[in-house]
Amino acid sequence: MSVFNNSEVTYFLLIGIPGLEYAHAWISIPIFLMYLIAIMGNCIIIFVIKTEPSLHEPMYYFLTMLAVSDMGLSFSSLPTMLKIFSFNAMAISPNACFAQEFFIHGFTVMESSVLLIMSLDRFLAIHNPLRYSSILNGRRVAKIGLILAFRSTVLVLPFPFTLRKLKYCYKNLLSHSYCLHQDVMKLACSDNKINFIYGFFVALCTMLDFALILMSYVLILKTVLSIASLAERLKALNTCVSHICAVLIFYVPIITLAAIHRFAKHKSPLLVILIADMFLLVPPLMNPIVYCIKTRQIREKVLGKLVNLCVR
């Protein structure tokens, strides 16, 4: 049975890049390549960590969780992005839209949580290296992973159900190439106050993660500055470079979009759409590249696997 009656819309319309509809077919090629590289890169990271006993450490387990979150973001947005840019198919059913926004928001919260745990991991490794392995043993890391997955699911689980309770009368044009909670609820012709309040609460949880990450790095800097040797200081900070890059790649688009919506009086719809698309495309693409380049252990193992494949 349809969720909507005859007086309500029966589908939503997504959009590509306004003003460049004639070039959507060409734009789909780099988008497809970005998705392909992102999925392959994260699969390689997961495979290398799983098959190399020397990488069976907390830092790399958390990196695996980050790769899973990135793949989840890629697979969540991939269907509609390719449909729009490859086939100009803009329509999406309400239930499919609600499911997509659940997975996108769920993996976004998951990635934010993983980045927070990774910052705490770096703090423990630098502040208390002798007890690091005993504090974060395999069982505790597994429990942390389950807690993060549970937190992400529980936080966004109400989204699709509260959206289904709303009525959508006339407007059905969304603002992005994929479904987002805040975007869908604006189309409702019934009271969406509960959706607004709860959506704001989830956004605050994500920003709380970012605040705690900043606090972790304040503590890391305090610990590093207490180290006497300059070489040891640089060595300690170097272990954080990859994570800092991942944090910037993930949070800069979110903060930029929030600032544009809050402070820009005449914001460009094209700029907002491009930043929103980059938010889902860039982190899954760049995180494996950053970790392969900046983390020596990962780089050596990946290159070793590739050499072995070529030799065979």
Side-chain angles (χ1 to χ4, degrees), residues 22-273:
Y22 64 90
H24 275 182
W26 292 106
I27 295 172
S28 68
I29 297 173
I31 287 177
F32 173 76
L33 290 175
M34 289 174 75
Y35 273 116
L36 184 63
I37 295 169
I39 292 168
M40 287 180 62
N42 284 292
C43 284
I44 290 171
I45 292 285
I46 294 170
F47 174 75
V48 168
I49 293 174
K50 182 180 179 182
T51 56
E52 287 293 336
S54 63
L55 299 180
H56 292 177
E57 298 178 6
M59 172 184 174
Y60 302 110
Y61 289 141
F62 292 134
L63 179 55
T64 301
M65 296 178 196
L66 184 67
V68 170
S69 301
D70 282 334
M71 289 182 65
L73 279 176
S74 293
F75 283 121
S76 298
S77 58
L78 177 65
T80 53
M81 292 278 278
L82 289 184
K83 266 178 44 178
I84 290 169
F85 290 104
S86 300
F87 307 106
N88 205 36
M90 309 291 189
I92 183 172
S93 68
N95 287 336
C97 186
F98 300 155
Q100 184 184 50
E101 61 86 25
F102 167 76
F103 285 110
I104 288 177
H105 288 293
F107 283 112
T108 299
V109 173
M110 179 71 177
E111 182 142 349
S112 176
S113 304
V114 172
L115 290 172
L116 170 59
I117 293 300
M118 291 177 81
S119 70
L120 297 176
D121 167 76
R122 290 299 81 210
F123 170 68
L124 281 174
I126 294 171
H127 181 72
N128 202 344
L130 297 179
R131 294 190 58 203
Y132 171 67
S133 297
S134 61
I135 294 173
L136 284 177
N137 55 42
R139 182 175 294 180
R140 283 180 180 160
V141 170
K143 286 181 180 178
I144 290 171
L146 290 174
I147 290 170
L148 296 185
F150 179 77
R151 175 189 186 242
S152 306
T153 303
V154 168
L155 269 179
V156 303
L157 188 60
F159 279 172
F161 297 102
T162 55
L163 288 176
R164 285 187 65 172
K165 289 183 178 181
L166 298 177
K167 291 184 179 181
Y168 306 89
C169 303
Y170 305 107
K171 297 184 293 182
N172 67 344
L173 182 62
L174 296 169
S175 307
H176 300 291
S177 306
Y178 47 86
C179 295
L180 292 175
H181 175 262
Q182 62 269 29
D183 202 16
V184 176
M185 75 175 186
K186 289 178 182 178
L187 300 181
C189 55
S190 56
D191 185 16
N192 62 3
K193 187 180 296 183
I194 293 175
N195 299 74
F196 177 82
I197 293 172
Y198 190 73
F200 183 69
F201 168 73
V202 174
L204 280 181
C205 290
T206 306
M207 288 298 102
L208 177 61
D209 290 346
F210 182 63
L212 292 174
I213 290 171
L214 293 179
M215 189 181 300
S216 298
Y217 273 100
V218 170
L219 295 174
I220 288 171
L221 283 174
K222 184 178 178 182
T223 303
V224 168
L225 291 175
S226 67
I227 300 173
S229 169
L230 177 60
E232 289 298 319
R233 289 182 189 178
L234 295 175
K235 183 180 178 181
L237 287 175
N238 191 53
T239 64
C240 302
V241 172
S242 300
H243 179 257
I244 292 171
C245 292
V247 170
L248 292 175
I249 289 168
F250 180 76
Y251 280 104
V252 166
I254 294 177
I255 295 171
T256 302
L257 278 175
I260 289 174
H261 283 297
R262 177 66 181 84
F263 299 110
K265 294 181 179 179
H266 305 288
K267 57 180 179 287
S268 166
L270 178 60
L271 179 62
V272 172
I273 290 169

Side-chain angles (χ1 to χ4, degrees), residues 250-311:
F250 180 76
Y251 280 104
V252 166
I254 294 177
I255 295 171
T256 302
L257 278 175
I260 289 174
H261 283 297
R262 177 66 181 84
F263 299 110
K265 294 181 179 179
H266 305 288
K267 57 180 179 287
S268 166
L270 178 60
L271 179 62
V272 172
I273 290 169
L274 288 176
I275 295 174
D277 286 346
M278 289 301 102
F279 164 67
L280 289 188
L281 288 169
V282 173
L285 173 70
M286 292 304 299
N287 284 340
I289 296 173
V290 167
Y291 273 93
C292 283
I293 292 173
K294 297 301 297 180
T295 307
R296 179 180 56 82
Q297 294 88 337
I298 293 287
R299 183 174 65 250
E300 289 177 354
K301 298 302 180 184
V302 169
L303 291 176
K305 295 285 185 185
L306 291 176
V307 169
N308 290 336
L309 285 175
C310 292
V311 171

